Amino acid sequence: MIAPMPVPLAATTGKPSMLLITARYAHHGAHSGLEPLHAILEQNFAVDVAKPSRTAKAALALDRFSHLIPRLMGQPPQQAGWSPYYTPSASLVEGAAIRQARQKRYDVVFCESIEKFHDRLGLIKQAHPGCRLVGMVHQPPSWWRLNAISAGVLDDFDAVIALSRQSRDHVERELGVRSVAFVNHGVDVTYFRPPEADRAIQDGFDICVVGDWLRDFDLVAQTIERTSAETPSFRWHLVLPTAARTTDAHYRAARYNNVRWYSNISDEALLALYHRCHAMFLPLIDATANNAMMEALSCALPIIVSDVGGVRDYAGEYVDYVGTRDPADVIASLRACVADYPAKRLRAAAGREHARTHLAWTKVGLQMAAIAKSL
């Protein structure tokens, strides 16, 4: 018996069809990360989400159990795929996408994170050559070079979205992708909003440091060490997972009573912290987009940030940049923020308007949808 041809969803919905490859990230709440993008895509496409079957989930659980004894014996687990982010769970999602795309013919398959979910997505195009594959790259060029990822790994994609100009240039020149576009990551400007009350400096100056990926915690520790005696009014709020607090720098920072630690906080608690603090210090080693910076910008919080990677693609003229790893430069910027706080608040308010008009998901999500539609 000849199997019937898959029917494109566009024939029944009037919208082009899309298969979305995504997953929830433990370090992102409902208002951080890419979740707000989904609603924009659903306005423009008939969207299905890649969902692993119960059988596949059970097989993964059995496979994990079968690997338990070798791990207990000290044998390292095997790593599949070209990316260190391509875990067994990611393979499960990718497998579900391939299975669903063979059962239905989609106009577009949108991979939310190429680094996490792509290993065999080219099989979809083998089954349906007319399907277009679009994906986003999140990591900066330094990550790709350190992992020895060379040209050819992205050849299956008809279009790649890069989240900084530097990343776009790397993907185009070093990875050989001809169709690559820079589009800003978005931020939920409705949720991440300025506080109703003014951030007045009273008995102290509260500084938040949010996140752990590609953060220069040695610079954080040195800054805390030097200011704790000289400027005891500084109160530090460090938000990062407990499991990530493993370096000497974390222990050095934890010696001081004016440092408070947060882990697994809710969206509401994170927003309250942005509203409570007078400034954010973001010590970065490298970056494309940075959720913490965009959220703080959207909350009109004055920001001091390392001048690296794609930071200027997002923060523009609305933050103070630190161009070195010298804690003296950070301390000078913090003290200048305290001394001229009304002016810093005015600039941060302009940064909020910049986020609202240039970084809102309602704007950048449409740009991403337009790229997918244009193929």
Side-chain angles (χ1 to χ4, degrees):
M1 180 181 293
I2 299 175
M5 287 292 292
V7 178
L9 293 183
T12 58
T13 66
K15 297 179 181 178
S17 57
M18 172 182 284
L19 179 62
L20 177 62
I21 304 175
T22 182
R24 284 296 302 270
Y25 299 91
H27 59 290
H28 286 161
H31 298 281
S32 297
L34 294 165
E35 286 217 4
L37 172 63
H38 300 172
I40 305 297
L41 294 176
E42 288 172 356
Q43 293 170 11
N44 291 271
F45 294 88
V47 177
D48 284 346
V49 177
K51 294 182 179 179
S53 66
R54 292 182 179 179
T55 302
K57 290 180 180 179
L60 177 62
L62 181 62
D63 180 69
R64 284 175 171 168
F65 180 78
S66 69
H67 286 79
L68 180 60
I69 294 177
R71 291 183 185 185
L72 291 175
M73 295 176 64
Q75 300 175 13
Q78 293 184 344
Q79 177 69 59
W82 56 271
S83 168
Y85 290 156
Y86 188 80
T87 63
S89 295
S91 175
L92 199 66
V93 175
E94 183 191 43
I98 294 170
R99 172 179 53 81
Q100 289 174 235
R102 284 171 171 169
Q103 294 172 350
K104 293 182 180 180
R105 190 172 65 201
Y106 292 94
D107 296 307
V108 178
V109 174
F110 192 100
C111 181
E112 210 171 64
S113 172
I114 290 176
E115 295 96 331
K116 185 172 180 64
F117 296 116
H118 168 55
D119 190 53
R120 298 170 290 121
L121 290 177
L123 294 176
I124 294 174
K125 297 183 69 175
Q126 291 180 19
H128 302 298
C131 178
R132 294 294 176 256
L133 190 56
V134 182
M136 299 173 64
V137 292
H138 294 256
Q139 298 304 321
S142 57
W143 180 90
W144 293 81
R145 295 179 185 126
L146 282 175
N147 287 287
I149 299 166
S150 57
V153 73
L154 304 182
D155 285 354
D156 291 322
F157 287 85
D158 297 284
V160 171
I161 296 171
L163 299 177
S164 73
R165 289 182 173 87
Q166 188 182 75
S167 176
R168 175 199 61 196
D169 294 345
H170 171 81
V171 170
E172 185 176 58
R173 296 171 186 172
E174 297 190 34
L175 299 181
V177 176
R178 287 181 294 179
S179 181
V180 53
F182 160 57
V183 181
N184 284 118
H185 195 292
V187 62
D188 187 342
V189 297
T190 302
Y191 185 79
F192 291 106
R193 59 195 183 277
E196 295 181 3
D198 289 340
R199 294 185 178 95
I201 301 175
Q202 296 176 349
D203 61 337
F205 192 78
D206 292 283
I207 307 159
C208 62
V209 180
V210 179
D212 68 294
W213 177 239
L214 292 177
R215 303 303 198 268
D216 188 348
F217 273 101
D218 189 59
L219 183 56
V220 175
Q222 290 185 63
T223 304
I224 291 173
E225 287 169 339
R226 294 195 186 187
T227 58
S228 290
E230 300 172 5
T231 316
S233 62
F234 284 176
R235 294 188 294 250
W236 296 85
H237 304 265
L238 274 56
V239 182
L240 71 158
T242 305
R245 304 169 189 173
T246 58
T247 70
D248 291 346
H250 296 128
Y251 280 89
R252 284 160 44 208
R255 294 179 300 164
Y256 296 91
N257 294 329
N258 63 334
V259 179
R260 184 175 178 184
W261 301 81
Y262 305 78
S263 180
N264 298 321
I265 64 175
S266 65
D267 289 337
E268 294 76 16
L270 180 61
L271 181 63
L273 183 63
Y274 288 148
H275 287 178
R276 173 184 175 182
C277 286
H278 298 97
M280 168 180 280
F281 173 42
L282 199 56
L284 297 174
I285 298 169
D286 205 350
T288 52
N290 186 279
N291 280 297
M293 182 178 68
M294 289 187 292
E295 291 162 4
L297 198 69
S298 187
C299 288
L301 181 63
I303 301 169
I304 298 165
V305 61
S306 304
D307 190 5
V308 296
V311 168
R312 287 184 181 265
D313 292 332
Y314 292 84
E317 60 187 23
Y318 305 104
V319 303
D320 285 316
Y321 292 101
V322 178
T324 71
R325 297 186 67 243
D326 188 344
D329 291 338
V330 179
I331 294 168
S333 294
L334 287 170
R335 288 176 176 164
C337 187
V338 175
D340 199 12
Y341 197 62
K344 301 297 184 183
R345 284 171 51 196
L346 284 174
R347 186 181 61 179
R352 155 70 183 180
E353 184 62 17
H354 168 72
R356 193 184 66 80
T357 56
H358 291 84
L359 303 178
W361 273 118
T362 50
K363 179 179 178 64
V364 300
L366 288 175
Q367 294 174 358
M368 294 181 183
I371 290 172
K373 277 187 172 182
S374 69
L375 298 174

